[in-house]
């Protein structure tokens, strides 16, 4: 590995936020999945979770621009299994859901360990996810359409988390363990 | 038109922000164009501008979910012509551009009349756009990928404008003229 690449990967790892993740529940369009991974990488998400609706869903290198090599994606068979994993890490579950009972997404504290849950393009999130969640949030909309594109909603959520974490100084400290740093540097982004 | 639909359109018009617009410079993938229009509608953009790279680009009803019926899109042959139109309305031009000379996107005041310029998927914005712009801004990224998807960048920009305008009370006043309200209600979303 060149010294420049070594330094670049180390700088990236310095900013990673292992206690912030995204759970994609049945999101199945490639360009949406890829765009979410790309946004997640951009704000320092280190690991993500997905429940695959079909086996056909696959991250395309084109739209994800290689970010799938840097954000580890854990596949789960059920939403219960996925949220067990994030709750096991002490994360609150924040479900994005279009409902009059949801609160404005900016009211939640994303400096806490957090799993952001995004739903399926057509049907949204499942009742099971809503039951397990600590918060139901909604991104305000004042136009004629009923919902945002899922990758757009994901990015708006993630950049709110980034804004809060930046203000709280969470990007000024290193959070990745020495072992994890070693693993990523060793694999060099080609796992 | 049913009373419910009449009321729904009036409520939408009450929130419209005619002094906030998006200029899409050569953005050519349908799903990106459509997602930007959908996000723009969601935060109250009333009119947009596009410079088409190819004639093939078309808004698909599927992804835009009908928002293209509610956000008027002006087509232009050149970026100069598009920015002449927005500057003629007294708007500052804010160009999104990945460069070390760009400032953080949250430093700009979007409560002022503003045109947000988004660039082409592969090549970004043109030098001509950069020359005309009042501000060059960048959405911070701390990961391995170099850029965000353009519709994601557009949404993050628009929701920052929404956040500032909400705080400033700009959604509490009506900004659309009586004539414009009449036109939209008359056309009923089927222009
Ligand atoms: C296209 S929407 C699904 C729409 C579905 N008809 C519903 O009512 O849930 C796909 C996903 O995008 C996210 N989403 C879209 N718009 C949102 C908004 N305004 N607030 C929060 N999440 C949103 C949610 O994760 C949602 O499950
Ligand atoms: C995929 S990017 C273009 C990348 C191109 N290689 C460049 O360097 O400009 C497409 C458009 O998305 C927007 N964009 C993407 N990431 C951005 C960021 N971090 N900050 C501001 N704008 C961004 C800009 O409008 C850009 O022109």
């Amino acid at each position: 590995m060149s010294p420049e690449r070594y330094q670049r990967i180390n700088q990236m790892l310095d900013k990673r936020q292992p206690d912030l993740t995204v759970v994609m529940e049945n999101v199945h369009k490639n360009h949406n999945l890829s765009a979410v991974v790309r946004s997640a990488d951009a704000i320092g998400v280190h690991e993500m979770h997905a429940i695959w609706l079909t086996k056909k869903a696959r991250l395309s290198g084109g739209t994800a621009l290689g970010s799938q090599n840097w954000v580890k994606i854990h596949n789960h068979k059920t939403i219960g299994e996925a949220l067990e994993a994030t709750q096991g890490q002490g994360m609150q579950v924040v479900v994005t859901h279009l409902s009059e009972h949801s609160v404005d997404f900016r009211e939640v504290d994303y400096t806490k360990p957090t799993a952001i849950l995004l739903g399926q393009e057509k049907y949204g999130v499942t009742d099971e996810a809503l039951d397990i969640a600590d918060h139901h949030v909604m991104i305000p909309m004042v136009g004629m359409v009923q919902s945002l594109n899922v990758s757009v909603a994901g990015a708006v959520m993630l950049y709110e988390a980034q804004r809060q974490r930046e203000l709280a100084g969470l990007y000024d400290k290193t959070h990745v363990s020495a072992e994890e740093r070693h693993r990523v540097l060793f694999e060099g982004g080609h796992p």
Side-chain angles (χ1 to χ4, degrees), chain A:
Chain A
M1 198 185 326
S2 72
E4 290 76 21
R5 187 168 173 85
Y6 184 82
Q7 200 195 2
R8 177 98 181 75
I9 298 175
N10 262 315
Q11 279 170 349
M12 174 273 285
L13 290 169
D14 287 343
K15 303 287 183 185
R16 279 314 204 218
Q17 310 282 308
D19 64 342
L20 179 66
T21 193
V22 177
V23 180
M24 297 187 294
E25 192 185 24
N26 305 334
V27 174
H28 71 281
K29 285 189 188 161
N30 284 351
H31 63 85
N32 286 335
L33 281 167
S34 299
V36 173
V37 179
R38 190 167 159 189
S39 306
D41 170 74
I43 70 120
V45 166
H46 194 56
E47 296 189 333
M48 289 176 48
H49 301 267
I51 299 99
W52 302 108
L53 186 66
T54 64
K55 291 244 173 53
K56 268 183 280 170
R58 221 165 262 283
L59 291 169
S60 62
T63 331
L65 284 183
S67 51
Q68 73 278 18
N69 294 333
W70 300 102
V71 183
K72 204 187 206 166
I73 303 179
H74 300 276
N75 287 314
H76 301 275
K77 290 223 179 63
T78 64
I79 180 69
E81 186 186 303
L83 295 182
E84 224 169 78
T86 62
Q87 287 181 322
Q89 296 179 274
M91 295 181 187
Q92 62 178 346
V93 177
V94 180
V95 167
T96 56
H97 182 53
L98 299 155
S99 145
E100 53 190 297
H101 304 297
S102 294
V103 300
D104 187 292
F105 75 113
R106 294 195 183 102
E107 284 176 27
V108 170
D109 179 359
Y110 301 98
T111 64
K112 291 186 190 168
T114 302
I116 296 171
L117 198 141
L118 301 173
Q120 207 255 350
E121 285 86 349
K122 195 156 184 179
Y123 304 106
V125 297
T126 60
D127 288 343
E128 198 180 346
L130 290 172
D131 280 349
I132 302 175
D134 299 292
H135 301 277
H136 299 177
V137 302
M138 180 165 170
I139 301 164
M141 295 187 294
V142 296
M144 292 300 280
V145 283
Q146 305 288 343
S147 65
L148 299 168
N149 168 279
V150 61
S151 73
V152 157
V156 172
M157 292 289 297
L158 286 168
Y159 270 95
E160 174 61 15
Q162 181 270 344
R163 188 180 73 84
Q164 293 186 12
R165 284 173 173 248
E166 180 79 57
L167 285 173
L170 288 180
Y171 288 102
D172 304 334
K173 289 175 232 145
T174 297
H175 308 279
V176 163
S177 70
E179 293 83 350
E180 180 62 4
R181 184 177 295 266
H182 183 77
R183 182 191 70 77
V184 175
L185 282 167
F186 183 76
E187 290 177 358
H190 299 291

